[in-house]
Amino acid sequence: MRRTTLLHLGCSILALWSAYFVNAEDDYKYYEWTVTYGTASPLGVSQKILLINGQFPGPRLDLVTNNNVILNLINKLDEPFLLTWNGIKQRKNSWQDGVLGTNCPVPPNGNYTYKFQTKDQIGSYTYFPSTGMHRAAGGFGALNVYARSVIPVPYAKPAGDFSLLVGDWYAAGHKVVFV
Ligand SMILES: *[C@@H]1O[C@H](CO)[C@@H](O)[C@H](O)[C@H]1NC(C)=O
């Protein structure tokens, strides 16, 4: 009798222990991005463009389904700036979507920490600035959400993986275009 109780206790502890690990939280990914001006000549004429962490295109976000993203965006421009995560569903999380109406632009010298999850989705997406014609001056990049390794996919592993970003450029610069 005593043995059985002990065995039951042992099994319950094992069950609780595995439940704890099965329900462990999804991975967190932390980023700090700083937006600044830079110069480039995408149309053969030198113009002011927008860089993220000194880069155009901005850093490629390589995520996996269900990742939790904590991304602090620091605005070093002389104008408000807002990024949107195009294609991310933002379930019950619309104030992280980075569009006017749900999100305020980040003021100059301010920062804002986006918190969102790539919940139950895979795909190739982009992020881009959603206000002030900033998108015509850069500030965008690729956002990939890969399948979790435990989820089988019905195709072979690709031989290569490239991000193709297409944007409109105006030699006049984004502030002139915006007016
Ligand atoms: C973000 O802004 C807060 C105040 O709004 C400030 O205290 C903090 O230092 C800023 N963080 C960074 C990394 O700039």
Side-chain angles (χ1 to χ4, degrees):
M1 186 68 188
R2 207 186 162 85
R3 261 184 108 94
T4 328
T5 315
L6 269 180
L7 190 66
H8 278 165
L9 187 68
C11 289
S12 311
I13 289 171
L14 191 68
L16 278 174
W17 183 78
S18 44
Y20 173 79
F21 280 99
V22 167
N23 291 327
E25 248 192 313
D26 296 306
D27 281 355
Y28 276 76
K29 302 279 180 185
Y30 297 90
Y31 303 92
E32 188 168 275
W33 284 6
T34 304
V35 193
T36 55
Y37 295 113
T39 47
S41 311
L43 301 174
V45 185
S46 179
Q47 67 182 93
K48 202 185 215 181
I49 68 161
L50 302 181
L51 305 175
I52 295 177
N53 289 354
Q55 306 166 35
F56 174 78
R60 184 170 123 170
L61 266 185
D62 280 335
L63 303 169
V64 171
T65 303
N66 293 351
N67 276 173
N68 291 292
V69 177
I70 310 288
L71 187 148
N72 191 22
L73 179 67
I74 302 167
N75 180 7
K76 292 294 176 191
L77 308 179
D78 62 9
E79 55 197 314
F81 182 82
L82 186 62
L83 277 183
T84 185
W85 316 98
N86 191 36
I88 301 301
K89 290 179 186 165
Q90 307 290 8
R91 291 183 188 166
K92 298 184 180 173
N93 204 31
S94 57
W95 54 93
Q96 301 289 340
D97 193 32
V99 289
L100 282 183
T102 58
N103 245 176
C104 293
V106 185
N109 284 314
N111 67 77
Y112 176 72
T113 303
Y114 289 91
K115 297 184 180 105
F116 61 86
Q117 189 178 20
T118 54
K119 182 75 181 155
D120 295 339
Q121 59 181 124
I122 56 169
S124 310
Y125 307 104
T126 57
Y127 61 86
F128 60 83
S130 60
T131 56
M133 286 301 282
H134 287 154
R135 189 165 47 154
F140 55 84
L143 194 176
N144 298 320
V145 184
Y146 292 92
R148 295 165 66 211
S149 58
V150 293
I151 306 292
V153 287
Y155 45 81
K157 201 172 160 56
D161 185 359
F162 305 93
S163 295
L164 178 66
L165 295 158
V166 179
D168 287 325
W169 290 95
Y170 302 86
H174 70 279
K175 284 191 184 176
V176 176
V177 175
F178 185 55
V179 174

